[in-house]
mmCIF file of all heavy atoms in Angstrom:
data_model
loop_
_atom_site.group_PDB
_atom_site.id
_atom_site.type_symbol
_atom_site.label_atom_id
_atom_site.label_comp_id
_atom_site.label_asym_id
_atom_site.label_seq_id
_atom_site.Cartn_x
_atom_site.Cartn_y
_atom_site.Cartn_z
ATOM 1 N N TYR A 1 -22.554 -19.582 37.989
ATOM 2 C CA TYR A 1 -21.166 -19.921 37.725
ATOM 3 C C TYR A 1 -20.226 -19.166 38.555
ATOM 4 O O TYR A 1 -20.409 -17.960 38.780
ATOM 5 C CB TYR A 1 -20.930 -19.828 36.163
ATOM 6 C CG TYR A 1 -21.872 -20.616 35.325
ATOM 7 C CD1 TYR A 1 -22.650 -19.973 34.402
ATOM 8 C CD2 TYR A 1 -21.944 -21.972 35.431
ATOM 9 C CE1 TYR A 1 -23.552 -20.706 33.624
ATOM 10 C CE2 TYR A 1 -22.808 -22.733 34.658
ATOM 11 C CZ TYR A 1 -23.597 -22.069 33.787
ATOM 12 O OH TYR A 1 -24.495 -22.835 33.023
ATOM 13 N N GLY A 2 -19.180 -19.844 38.921
ATOM 14 C CA GLY A 2 -18.117 -19.132 39.695
ATOM 15 C C GLY A 2 -16.922 -20.088 39.954
ATOM 16 O O GLY A 2 -16.754 -20.476 41.132
ATOM 17 N N ALA A 3 -16.160 -20.382 38.985
ATOM 18 C CA ALA A 3 -14.969 -21.194 39.194
ATOM 19 C C ALA A 3 -13.978 -20.377 40.019
ATOM 20 O O ALA A 3 -13.964 -19.155 40.057
ATOM 21 C CB ALA A 3 -14.317 -21.650 37.888
ATOM 22 N N SER A 4 -13.061 -21.109 40.737
ATOM 23 C CA SER A 4 -12.075 -20.488 41.592
ATOM 24 C C SER A 4 -11.359 -19.343 40.854
ATOM 25 O O SER A 4 -10.822 -19.503 39.756
ATOM 26 C CB SER A 4 -11.086 -21.507 42.080
ATOM 27 O OG SER A 4 -11.651 -22.371 42.974
ATOM 28 N N GLY A 5 -11.375 -18.205 41.398
ATOM 29 C CA GLY A 5 -10.685 -16.985 40.907
ATOM 30 C C GLY A 5 -11.588 -16.146 39.969
ATOM 31 O O GLY A 5 -11.214 -15.043 39.643
ATOM 32 N N SER A 6 -12.688 -16.722 39.646
ATOM 33 C CA SER A 6 -13.653 -15.943 38.825
ATOM 34 C C SER A 6 -15.082 -16.156 39.346
ATOM 35 O O SER A 6 -15.967 -16.570 38.623
ATOM 36 C CB SER A 6 -13.592 -16.444 37.311
ATOM 37 O OG SER A 6 -12.315 -16.243 36.790
ATOM 38 N N GLU A 7 -15.216 -15.883 40.555
ATOM 39 C CA GLU A 7 -16.475 -16.186 41.287
ATOM 40 C C GLU A 7 -17.562 -15.231 41.166
ATOM 41 O O GLU A 7 -18.682 -15.354 41.683
ATOM 42 C CB GLU A 7 -16.167 -16.358 42.849
ATOM 43 C CG GLU A 7 -15.230 -17.489 43.159
ATOM 44 C CD GLU A 7 -13.791 -17.025 43.319
ATOM 45 O OE1 GLU A 7 -13.467 -15.926 42.828
ATOM 46 O OE2 GLU A 7 -12.954 -17.786 43.915
ATOM 47 N N SER A 8 -17.390 -14.191 40.372
ATOM 48 C CA SER A 8 -18.298 -12.958 40.370
ATOM 49 C C SER A 8 -19.756 -13.343 40.205
ATOM 50 O O SER A 8 -20.594 -12.807 40.943
ATOM 51 C CB SER A 8 -17.825 -11.975 39.333
ATOM 52 O OG SER A 8 -18.640 -10.845 39.406
ATOM 53 N N PRO A 9 -20.171 -14.089 39.134
ATOM 54 C CA PRO A 9 -21.623 -14.356 39.063
ATOM 55 C C PRO A 9 -22.254 -14.952 40.254
ATOM 56 O O PRO A 9 -23.262 -14.539 40.722
ATOM 57 C CB PRO A 9 -21.687 -15.258 37.812
ATOM 58 C CG PRO A 9 -20.424 -14.994 37.043
ATOM 59 C CD PRO A 9 -19.376 -14.679 38.035
ATOM 60 N N ALA A 10 -21.637 -16.009 40.832
ATOM 61 C CA ALA A 10 -22.083 -16.638 41.981
ATOM 62 C C ALA A 10 -22.002 -15.721 43.187
ATOM 63 O O ALA A 10 -22.896 -15.654 44.070
ATOM 64 C CB ALA A 10 -21.446 -17.961 42.243
ATOM 65 N N ALA A 11 -20.953 -14.949 43.277
ATOM 66 C CA ALA A 11 -20.736 -14.100 44.387
ATOM 67 C C ALA A 11 -21.786 -12.956 44.421
ATOM 68 O O ALA A 11 -22.297 -12.555 45.494
ATOM 69 C CB ALA A 11 -19.364 -13.495 44.372
ATOM 70 N N GLN A 12 -22.095 -12.488 43.307
ATOM 71 C CA GLN A 12 -23.104 -11.374 43.262
ATOM 72 C C GLN A 12 -24.475 -11.876 43.731
ATOM 73 O O GLN A 12 -25.139 -11.164 44.435
ATOM 74 C CB GLN A 12 -23.199 -10.762 41.832
ATOM 75 C CG GLN A 12 -21.970 -9.960 41.406
ATOM 76 C CD GLN A 12 -21.806 -8.734 42.274
ATOM 77 O OE1 GLN A 12 -22.781 -8.188 42.808
ATOM 78 N NE2 GLN A 12 -20.538 -8.325 42.504
ATOM 79 N N LEU A 13 -24.852 -13.095 43.367
ATOM 80 C CA LEU A 13 -26.095 -13.650 43.795
ATOM 81 C C LEU A 13 -26.029 -13.903 45.233
ATOM 82 O O LEU A 13 -27.012 -13.571 46.005
ATOM 83 C CB LEU A 13 -26.331 -14.960 43.035
ATOM 84 C CG LEU A 13 -27.569 -15.782 43.555
ATOM 85 C CD1 LEU A 13 -28.843 -15.012 43.348
ATOM 86 C CD2 LEU A 13 -27.642 -17.105 42.731
ATOM 87 N N ALA A 14 -24.991 -14.487 45.802
ATOM 88 C CA ALA A 14 -24.922 -14.800 47.215
ATOM 89 C C ALA A 14 -24.859 -13.486 48.016
ATOM 90 O O ALA A 14 -25.399 -13.398 49.077
ATOM 91 C CB ALA A 14 -23.575 -15.600 47.489
ATOM 92 N N LEU A 15 -24.261 -12.417 47.500
ATOM 93 C CA LEU A 15 -24.229 -11.118 48.213
ATOM 94 C C LEU A 15 -25.557 -10.565 48.288
ATOM 95 O O LEU A 15 -26.060 -10.063 49.318
ATOM 96 C CB LEU A 15 -23.298 -10.236 47.355
ATOM 97 C CG LEU A 15 -23.245 -8.744 47.925
ATOM 98 C CD1 LEU A 15 -22.681 -8.698 49.293
ATOM 99 C CD2 LEU A 15 -22.437 -7.841 46.954
ATOM 100 N N GLU A 16 -26.419 -10.658 47.220
ATOM 101 C CA GLU A 16 -27.789 -10.155 47.280
ATOM 102 C C GLU A 16 -28.550 -10.986 48.277
ATOM 103 O O GLU A 16 -29.410 -10.395 49.039
ATOM 104 C CB GLU A 16 -28.362 -10.432 45.828
ATOM 105 C CG GLU A 16 -29.803 -10.078 45.688
ATOM 106 C CD GLU A 16 -30.430 -10.497 44.358
ATOM 107 O OE1 GLU A 16 -29.698 -10.274 43.390
ATOM 108 O OE2 GLU A 16 -31.579 -10.922 44.307
ATOM 109 N N MET A 17 -28.419 -12.273 48.409
ATOM 110 C CA MET A 17 -29.063 -13.100 49.372
ATOM 111 C C MET A 17 -28.681 -12.731 50.779
ATOM 112 O O MET A 17 -29.524 -12.679 51.699
ATOM 113 C CB MET A 17 -28.845 -14.569 49.094
ATOM 114 C CG MET A 17 -29.468 -15.130 47.815
ATOM 115 S SD MET A 17 -29.052 -16.878 47.600
ATOM 116 C CE MET A 17 -30.124 -17.236 46.165
ATOM 117 N N LEU A 18 -27.357 -12.552 50.975
ATOM 118 C CA LEU A 18 -26.897 -12.256 52.335
ATOM 119 C C LEU A 18 -27.286 -10.895 52.863
ATOM 120 O O LEU A 18 -27.562 -10.719 54.036
ATOM 121 C CB LEU A 18 -25.321 -12.346 52.354
ATOM 122 C CG LEU A 18 -24.613 -12.168 53.719
ATOM 123 C CD1 LEU A 18 -25.150 -13.198 54.744
ATOM 124 C CD2 LEU A 18 -23.101 -12.196 53.550
ATOM 125 N N ARG A 19 -27.445 -9.974 51.976
ATOM 126 C CA ARG A 19 -27.825 -8.590 52.370
ATOM 127 C C ARG A 19 -29.220 -8.488 53.092
ATOM 128 O O ARG A 19 -29.493 -7.554 53.733
ATOM 129 C CB ARG A 19 -27.731 -7.608 51.270
ATOM 130 C CG ARG A 19 -26.292 -7.123 51.003
ATOM 131 C CD ARG A 19 -26.151 -6.129 49.888
ATOM 132 N NE ARG A 19 -24.767 -5.665 49.812
ATOM 133 C CZ ARG A 19 -24.259 -4.962 48.756
ATOM 134 N NH1 ARG A 19 -25.021 -4.848 47.636
ATOM 135 N NH2 ARG A 19 -23.073 -4.522 48.783
ATOM 136 N N GLU A 20 -30.019 -9.528 52.824
ATOM 137 C CA GLU A 20 -31.282 -9.547 53.539
ATOM 138 C C GLU A 20 -31.070 -9.729 55.038
ATOM 139 O O GLU A 20 -31.942 -9.248 55.814
ATOM 140 C CB GLU A 20 -32.130 -10.784 53.001
ATOM 141 C CG GLU A 20 -33.537 -10.870 53.635
ATOM 142 C CD GLU A 20 -34.362 -12.014 53.040
ATOM 143 O OE1 GLU A 20 -34.004 -12.471 52.016
ATOM 144 O OE2 GLU A 20 -35.370 -12.363 53.773
ATOM 145 N N TYR A 21 -29.998 -10.302 55.421
ATOM 146 C CA TYR A 21 -29.714 -10.520 56.800
ATOM 147 C C TYR A 21 -28.514 -9.676 57.331
ATOM 148 O O TYR A 21 -28.473 -9.376 58.547
ATOM 149 C CB TYR A 21 -29.326 -11.992 57.099
ATOM 150 C CG TYR A 21 -30.449 -12.911 56.493
ATOM 151 C CD1 TYR A 21 -30.200 -13.536 55.314
ATOM 152 C CD2 TYR A 21 -31.583 -13.103 57.207
ATOM 153 C CE1 TYR A 21 -31.136 -14.466 54.771
ATOM 154 C CE2 TYR A 21 -32.578 -14.000 56.652
ATOM 155 C CZ TYR A 21 -32.378 -14.594 55.401
ATOM 156 O OH TYR A 21 -33.246 -15.496 54.936
ATOM 157 N N CYS A 22 -27.670 -9.326 56.428
ATOM 158 C CA CYS A 22 -26.497 -8.505 56.793
ATOM 159 C C CYS A 22 -26.419 -7.303 55.842
ATOM 160 O O CYS A 22 -25.774 -7.389 54.818
ATOM 161 C CB CYS A 22 -25.195 -9.342 56.674
ATOM 162 S SG CYS A 22 -25.148 -10.861 57.620
ATOM 163 N N PRO A 23 -27.131 -6.201 56.138
ATOM 164 C CA PRO A 23 -27.225 -5.093 55.278
ATOM 165 C C PRO A 23 -25.821 -4.526 54.818
ATOM 166 O O PRO A 23 -25.746 -3.890 53.814
ATOM 167 C CB PRO A 23 -28.096 -4.105 56.029
ATOM 168 C CG PRO A 23 -28.863 -4.880 56.882
ATOM 169 C CD PRO A 23 -27.949 -6.020 57.373
ATOM 170 N N ASP A 24 -24.830 -4.684 55.729
ATOM 171 C CA ASP A 24 -23.530 -4.125 55.467
ATOM 172 C C ASP A 24 -22.690 -5.056 54.590
ATOM 173 O O ASP A 24 -21.497 -4.730 54.300
ATOM 174 C CB ASP A 24 -22.828 -3.788 56.747
ATOM 175 C CG ASP A 24 -22.305 -5.045 57.484
ATOM 176 O OD1 ASP A 24 -22.855 -6.174 57.226
ATOM 177 O OD2 ASP A 24 -21.439 -4.986 58.308
ATOM 178 N N ALA A 25 -23.210 -6.206 54.140
ATOM 179 C CA ALA A 25 -22.385 -7.132 53.382
ATOM 180 C C ALA A 25 -21.740 -6.526 52.169
ATOM 181 O O ALA A 25 -22.409 -5.723 51.449
ATOM 182 C CB ALA A 25 -23.197 -8.380 53.011
ATOM 183 N N GLN A 26 -20.524 -6.874 51.938
ATOM 184 C CA GLN A 26 -19.805 -6.346 50.712
ATOM 185 C C GLN A 26 -18.785 -7.428 50.302
ATOM 186 O O GLN A 26 -18.496 -8.356 51.023
ATOM 187 C CB GLN A 26 -19.090 -5.078 51.075
ATOM 188 C CG GLN A 26 -18.065 -5.188 52.173
ATOM 189 C CD GLN A 26 -17.443 -3.910 52.537
ATOM 190 O OE1 GLN A 26 -17.034 -3.163 51.629
ATOM 191 N NE2 GLN A 26 -17.240 -3.657 53.802
ATOM 192 N N ILE A 27 -18.291 -7.187 49.095
ATOM 193 C CA ILE A 27 -17.192 -8.082 48.678
ATOM 194 C C ILE A 27 -15.854 -7.386 48.965
ATOM 195 O O ILE A 27 -15.645 -6.235 48.587
ATOM 196 C CB ILE A 27 -17.270 -8.345 47.105
ATOM 197 C CG1 ILE A 27 -18.533 -9.095 46.815
ATOM 198 C CG2 ILE A 27 -16.078 -9.107 46.587
ATOM 199 C CD1 ILE A 27 -18.819 -9.398 45.411
ATOM 200 N N ALA A 28 -15.003 -7.982 49.691
ATOM 201 C CA ALA A 28 -13.699 -7.496 50.120
ATOM 202 C C ALA A 28 -12.643 -8.523 50.035
ATOM 203 O O ALA A 28 -12.818 -9.593 50.593
ATOM 204 C CB ALA A 28 -13.883 -6.907 51.565
ATOM 205 N N GLY A 29 -11.575 -8.255 49.371
ATOM 206 C CA GLY A 29 -10.459 -9.235 49.204
ATOM 207 C C GLY A 29 -10.910 -10.498 48.513
ATOM 208 O O GLY A 29 -10.415 -11.546 48.744
ATOM 209 N N GLY A 30 -11.987 -10.381 47.648
ATOM 210 C CA GLY A 30 -12.483 -11.579 46.923
ATOM 211 C C GLY A 30 -13.593 -12.374 47.719
ATOM 212 O O GLY A 30 -14.262 -13.134 47.164
ATOM 213 N N ASN A 31 -13.625 -12.042 49.063
ATOM 214 C CA ASN A 31 -14.655 -12.708 49.847
ATOM 215 C C ASN A 31 -15.954 -11.801 50.104
ATOM 216 O O ASN A 31 -15.866 -10.615 50.015
ATOM 217 C CB ASN A 31 -14.093 -12.921 51.256
ATOM 218 C CG ASN A 31 -12.903 -13.826 51.273
ATOM 219 O OD1 ASN A 31 -12.862 -14.855 50.511
ATOM 220 N ND2 ASN A 31 -11.888 -13.519 52.047
ATOM 221 N N ILE A 32 -17.031 -12.437 50.360
ATOM 222 C CA ILE A 32 -18.269 -11.798 50.707
ATOM 223 C C ILE A 32 -18.274 -11.778 52.204
ATOM 224 O O ILE A 32 -18.193 -12.812 52.802
ATOM 225 C CB ILE A 32 -19.547 -12.450 50.230
ATOM 226 C CG1 ILE A 32 -19.463 -12.604 48.686
ATOM 227 C CG2 ILE A 32 -20.762 -11.696 50.621
ATOM 228 C CD1 ILE A 32 -20.473 -13.492 48.096
ATOM 229 N N ILE A 33 -18.334 -10.590 52.846
ATOM 230 C CA ILE A 33 -18.307 -10.501 54.293
ATOM 231 C C ILE A 33 -19.462 -9.631 54.785
ATOM 232 O O ILE A 33 -19.727 -8.542 54.283
ATOM 233 C CB ILE A 33 -16.954 -9.829 54.744
ATOM 234 C CG1 ILE A 33 -15.797 -10.666 54.258
ATOM 235 C CG2 ILE A 33 -16.912 -9.725 56.256
ATOM 236 C CD1 ILE A 33 -14.403 -10.058 54.575
ATOM 237 N N GLY A 34 -20.162 -10.086 55.850
ATOM 238 C CA GLY A 34 -21.304 -9.287 56.395
ATOM 239 C C GLY A 34 -21.296 -9.485 57.882
ATOM 240 O O GLY A 34 -20.901 -10.462 58.428
ATOM 241 N N SER A 35 -21.896 -8.509 58.579
ATOM 242 C CA SER A 35 -22.039 -8.614 60.078
ATOM 243 C C SER A 35 -23.506 -8.899 60.353
ATOM 244 O O SER A 35 -24.422 -8.282 59.777
ATOM 245 C CB SER A 35 -21.652 -7.280 60.668
ATOM 246 O OG SER A 35 -20.365 -6.835 60.393
ATOM 247 N N PHE A 36 -23.736 -9.759 61.275
ATOM 248 C CA PHE A 36 -25.029 -10.148 61.662
ATOM 249 C C PHE A 36 -25.354 -9.994 63.130
ATOM 250 O O PHE A 36 -24.525 -10.356 64.036
ATOM 251 C CB PHE A 36 -25.309 -11.662 61.298
ATOM 252 C CG PHE A 36 -26.695 -12.165 61.614
ATOM 253 C CD1 PHE A 36 -27.807 -11.931 60.864
ATOM 254 C CD2 PHE A 36 -26.907 -12.914 62.821
ATOM 255 C CE1 PHE A 36 -29.052 -12.373 61.116
ATOM 256 C CE2 PHE A 36 -28.145 -13.432 63.152
ATOM 257 C CZ PHE A 36 -29.233 -13.126 62.302
ATOM 258 N N GLY A 37 -26.530 -9.396 63.479
ATOM 259 C CA GLY A 37 -26.890 -9.276 64.834
ATOM 260 C C GLY A 37 -26.147 -8.283 65.639
ATOM 261 O O GLY A 37 -25.712 -7.208 65.095
ATOM 262 N N THR A 38 -25.921 -8.552 66.873
ATOM 263 C CA THR A 38 -25.415 -7.578 67.824
ATOM 264 C C THR A 38 -23.945 -7.153 67.550
ATOM 265 O O THR A 38 -23.127 -7.981 66.955
ATOM 266 C CB THR A 38 -25.387 -8.148 69.296
ATOM 267 O OG1 THR A 38 -24.839 -7.138 70.169
ATOM 268 C CG2 THR A 38 -24.625 -9.410 69.465
ATOM 269 N N GLU A 39 -23.602 -5.909 67.896
ATOM 270 C CA GLU A 39 -22.232 -5.444 67.806
ATOM 271 C C GLU A 39 -21.624 -5.249 69.185
ATOM 272 O O GLU A 39 -20.630 -4.526 69.356
ATOM 273 C CB GLU A 39 -22.179 -4.128 67.061
ATOM 274 C CG GLU A 39 -22.518 -4.181 65.550
ATOM 275 C CD GLU A 39 -21.489 -4.972 64.773
ATOM 276 O OE1 GLU A 39 -20.325 -5.059 65.173
ATOM 277 O OE2 GLU A 39 -21.837 -5.494 63.711
ATOM 278 N N ASP A 40 -22.189 -5.928 70.139
ATOM 279 C CA ASP A 40 -21.683 -5.908 71.526
ATOM 280 C C ASP A 40 -20.256 -6.476 71.664
ATOM 281 O O ASP A 40 -20.025 -7.598 71.533
ATOM 282 C CB ASP A 40 -22.643 -6.690 72.501
ATOM 283 C CG ASP A 40 -22.262 -6.566 73.952
ATOM 284 O OD1 ASP A 40 -21.190 -6.056 74.257
ATOM 285 O OD2 ASP A 40 -23.052 -7.135 74.767
ATOM 286 N N SER A 41 -19.318 -5.583 71.899
ATOM 287 C CA SER A 41 -17.860 -5.961 71.871
ATOM 288 C C SER A 41 -17.528 -6.822 73.093
ATOM 289 O O SER A 41 -16.410 -7.330 73.098
ATOM 290 C CB SER A 41 -17.004 -4.724 71.852
ATOM 291 O OG SER A 41 -17.231 -3.901 73.025
ATOM 292 N N SER A 42 -18.416 -6.948 74.044
ATOM 293 C CA SER A 42 -18.118 -7.843 75.246
ATOM 294 C C SER A 42 -18.336 -9.331 74.840
ATOM 295 O O SER A 42 -17.877 -10.144 75.605
ATOM 296 C CB SER A 42 -18.935 -7.421 76.405
ATOM 297 O OG SER A 42 -20.339 -7.722 76.163
ATOM 298 N N LEU A 43 -19.015 -9.583 73.674
ATOM 299 C CA LEU A 43 -19.276 -10.952 73.313
ATOM 300 C C LEU A 43 -18.125 -11.454 72.419
ATOM 301 O O LEU A 43 -17.555 -10.654 71.617
ATOM 302 C CB LEU A 43 -20.646 -11.017 72.574
ATOM 303 C CG LEU A 43 -21.908 -10.715 73.324
ATOM 304 C CD1 LEU A 43 -23.106 -10.778 72.469
ATOM 305 C CD2 LEU A 43 -22.042 -11.660 74.537
ATOM 306 N N PRO A 44 -17.884 -12.743 72.444
ATOM 307 C CA PRO A 44 -16.865 -13.301 71.568
ATOM 308 C C PRO A 44 -17.338 -13.205 70.137
ATOM 309 O O PRO A 44 -18.505 -13.154 69.862
ATOM 310 C CB PRO A 44 -16.771 -14.767 72.022
ATOM 311 C CG PRO A 44 -18.045 -15.076 72.669
ATOM 312 C CD PRO A 44 -18.447 -13.779 73.314
ATOM 313 N N LEU A 45 -16.314 -13.095 69.205
ATOM 314 C CA LEU A 45 -16.605 -12.898 67.815
ATOM 315 C C LEU A 45 -16.598 -14.312 67.040
ATOM 316 O O LEU A 45 -15.606 -15.036 67.115
ATOM 317 C CB LEU A 45 -15.599 -12.040 67.183
ATOM 318 C CG LEU A 45 -15.686 -11.808 65.638
ATOM 319 C CD1 LEU A 45 -17.078 -11.233 65.282
ATOM 320 C CD2 LEU A 45 -14.576 -10.897 65.165
ATOM 321 N N LEU A 46 -17.736 -14.657 66.453
ATOM 322 C CA LEU A 46 -17.851 -15.995 65.791
ATOM 323 C C LEU A 46 -17.929 -15.749 64.262
ATOM 324 O O LEU A 46 -18.693 -14.868 63.887
ATOM 325 C CB LEU A 46 -19.008 -16.709 66.241
ATOM 326 C CG LEU A 46 -19.285 -18.154 65.637
ATOM 327 C CD1 LEU A 46 -19.792 -19.103 66.582
ATOM 328 C CD2 LEU A 46 -20.283 -18.024 64.402
#
């Protein structure tokens, strides 16, 4: 469950799933955000 503004149960599950690929994933500003792959600053950010 995770209706708008109260997304925590769904967000915690999605965060757990995402951390398998993005170990730095965290909840910030209500969003789940993680970095994947290279950190080469010469590449465009997608």
Side-chain angles (χ1 to χ4, degrees):
Y1 302 118
S4 291
S6 298
E7 297 95 346
S8 182
Q12 289 297 329
L13 174 60
L15 176 63
E16 175 187 324
M17 292 178 171
L18 182 60
R19 279 182 172 161
E20 180 177 344
Y21 307 101
C22 305
D24 71 340
Q26 61 180 318
I27 296 177
N31 299 318
I32 303 165
I33 302 176
S35 304
F36 179 80
T38 180
E39 292 292 335
D40 184 351
S41 59
S42 68
L43 295 176
L45 177 59
L46 180 142

